[in-house]
Amino acid sequence: MSKKRVFSGIRPTGEIHIGNYFGALRNWVEIQDSYDCIYGVVDYHAITTPFEAEKLPRLTFDTLAALLACGIDPQKSALMLQSDIKEHVELSWVLSCIAPLGQMERMTQFKDKSQQAPEYINLGLLAYPALMAADILIYRADAVPVGEDQVQHLELTRDLARKFNNAYGEYFPEPEPLLTHTPRIMGLDGKSKMSKTLDNHISLFEPADSLRQKIMTAVTDENRKRRSDPGNPDICNIYSLHKTVSKEEEIQMIDRECRTAGIGCVDCKKILYGHMEEFLCPFREKYQDLQKQPDTVYEIAQESRKICQPIAQETMTEVRNRMGLRKI
Ligand code: AMP
Ligand code: TRP
């Protein structure tokens, strides 16, 4: 039996951070043998929020390199650039004509991003989830590895697939989200989600000294004022980060010792730093290596385009035919 297909994308809007990795990319890497995977740097999504045209090519390249550095293997998976394959945008128009306006206006991310940049509320920002649905449905993907913040967009994707199928005959699968065991990583402030555009993230390629500094100054359980106070790991972001890189016995030890004031925040952070540095070090080296080989990176995207385009064209031909966009 042929493998099920996966699609997922990431926007080239800034440094890839450990929230991206532990919330989503870790799954991208792990499922490469069990699914037929297509991954994309979705640059058309990057222009829905404020961006600088001169900086976009560098961000796009860096995002491609980052995905390769953290383990996307071009021998196993396609790694494409969204703007190389025009059918994404074509299908997004079709889906925009199916998507109920009210449902689009209710999307949490639309509301959040409108608030973050009130001067930049454009039609594309509202239509963004339809483009995301198109990214997925153009490859008729069955599953989508994402962080928790994208689950609502996937529900919309399933709704749109169902609406299309009901109106024009069964064609699209209804894609399911694949979540990691840490689907929402908080920022260093412990209050908002870790984000590329907020100054609250740890880069996936953070140099050792600033990694140490960021961990040592990160917010913990704010009710724990003194070393002798017992802490509450359930509300401590450092404890949640331990769950990403520390071994199970150690996580249990920290939980126990924090609650009884057996371990202080400084020691807890030092342990986290040690594991995080060990985990990230190989990524950093591979990333620096890829920075010296732009041709190799672009060639991977070009080769992937050759794999993806025929699938996308086949989908669009079928969609156009079913919707009457054809000769009599
Ligand atoms: P983005 O950077 O918004 O394009 O996100 C790329 C992927 O990382 C998506 O699957 C997001 O759901 C995921 N992601 C982004 N930020 C976080 C976070 N703080 N925690 C967990 N997953 C995240
Ligand atoms: N909207 C996603 C995000 O903000 C990025 C994205 C665009 C995506 N197209 C996609 C994710 C398709 C999964 C599948 O993170």
Side-chain angles (χ1 to χ4, degrees):
M1 214 180 90
S2 66
K3 287 181 187 168
K4 288 197 164 188
R5 183 168 295 145
V6 150
F7 179 87
S8 197
I10 185 164
R11 295 169 308 140
T13 44
E15 278 184 326
I16 307 296
H17 52 71
I18 61 170
N20 294 129
Y21 183 78
F22 294 111
L25 303 181
R26 176 175 226 169
N27 257 355
W28 293 25
V29 174
E30 278 169 12
I31 62 178
Q32 289 182 101
D33 289 319
S34 28
Y35 290 87
D36 165 19
C37 299
I38 301 178
Y39 298 126
V41 174
V42 289
D43 48 352
Y44 274 131
H45 279 89
I47 62 172
T48 59
T49 45
F51 72 103
E52 291 173 64
E54 313 75 56
K55 293 194 177 150
L56 190 52
R58 163 57 51 192
L59 285 171
T60 301
F61 174 83
D62 286 350
T63 308
L64 284 168
L67 293 172
L68 293 167
C70 71
I72 300 305
D73 178 352
Q75 302 298 327
K76 295 180 181 168
S77 307
L79 177 58
M80 46 78 75
L81 184 57
Q82 185 191 33
S83 60
D84 277 346
I85 299 179
K86 310 297 179 230
E87 286 78 8
H88 286 236
V89 182
E90 194 177 350
L91 183 59
S92 90
W93 175 254
V94 168
L95 297 176
S96 295
C97 297
I98 297 176
L101 184 57
Q103 192 175 3
M104 302 303 274
E105 283 167 341
R106 282 193 298 276
M107 293 287 133
T108 315
Q109 209 168 61
F110 172 66
K111 291 193 230 163
D112 289 351
K113 292 200 165 140
S114 304
Q115 245 171 22
Q116 279 165 20
E119 75 293 348
Y120 212 84
I121 307 175
N122 56 78
L123 186 54
L125 186 65
L126 180 69
Y128 172 121
L131 178 57
M132 173 164 165
D135 297 337
I136 299 164
L137 298 181
I138 198 85
Y139 300 113
R140 286 157 269 144
D142 304 284
V144 188
V146 280
E148 193 183 59
D149 59 348
Q150 297 304 313
V151 167
Q152 191 186 36
H153 290 161
L154 269 173
E155 275 161 19
L156 174 84
T157 305
R158 283 200 299 280
D159 287 349
L160 296 180
R162 204 174 308 128
K163 275 193 156 68
F164 180 93
N165 292 345
N166 287 340
Y168 308 107
E170 200 64 26
Y171 184 57
F172 291 118
E174 290 180 29
E176 294 293 335
L178 296 176
L179 300 180
T180 68
H181 73 287
T182 51
R184 180 182 170 87
I185 304 286
M186 300 303 283
L188 294 168
D189 51 9
K191 292 188 178 63
S192 38
K193 191 187 71 167
M194 186 173 284
S195 151
K196 288 173 196 160
T197 42
L198 298 178
D199 188 20
N200 71 354
H201 69 265
I202 294 178
S203 159
L204 201 53
F205 312 109
E206 196 75 47
D209 49 351
S210 64
L211 176 66
R212 188 185 184 88
Q213 211 240 336
K214 284 188 176 181
I215 290 178
M216 295 316 284
T217 54
V219 174
T220 54
D221 167 8
E222 286 183 302
N223 299 324
R224 192 178 185 188
K225 307 272 186 253
R226 286 176 303 259
R227 166 70 178 79
S228 55
D229 291 344
N232 180 1
D234 298 336
I235 54 167
C236 175
N237 194 29
I238 292 295
Y239 177 71
S240 335
L241 289 176
H242 269 290
K243 290 189 189 158
T244 64
V245 283
S246 303
K247 295 223 163 62
E248 190 49 41
E249 311 88 77
E250 200 163 32
I251 298 170
Q252 283 172 17
M253 179 280 284
I254 289 168
D255 182 298
R256 200 175 53 239
E257 297 299 313
C258 173
R259 289 182 201 277
T260 52
I263 186 174
C265 294
V266 173
D267 288 327
C268 181
K269 285 175 164 182
K270 280 185 185 156
I271 302 174
L272 177 67
Y273 165 74
H275 294 325
M276 194 64 88
E277 167 55 19
E278 197 182 333
F279 191 88
L280 297 184
C281 186
F283 291 175
R284 202 188 295 140
E285 283 169 8
K286 181 99 194 282
Y287 184 67
Q288 280 160 1
D289 222 40
L290 286 161
Q291 288 290 338
K292 295 178 211 137
Q293 312 171 48
D295 292 348
T296 311
V297 173
Y298 286 127
E299 207 177 291
I300 290 168
Q302 269 314 301
E303 287 304 310
S304 298
R305 189 183 66 74
K306 291 186 203 155
I307 298 169
C308 298
Q309 190 134 48
I311 308 173
Q313 283 171 341
E314 191 190 315
T315 304
M316 268 329 293
T317 303
E318 189 68 31
V319 166
R320 277 193 304 264
N321 278 336
R322 286 174 183 238
M323 295 184 83
L325 300 155
R326 56 174 163 76
K327 294 191 190 126
I328 50 172

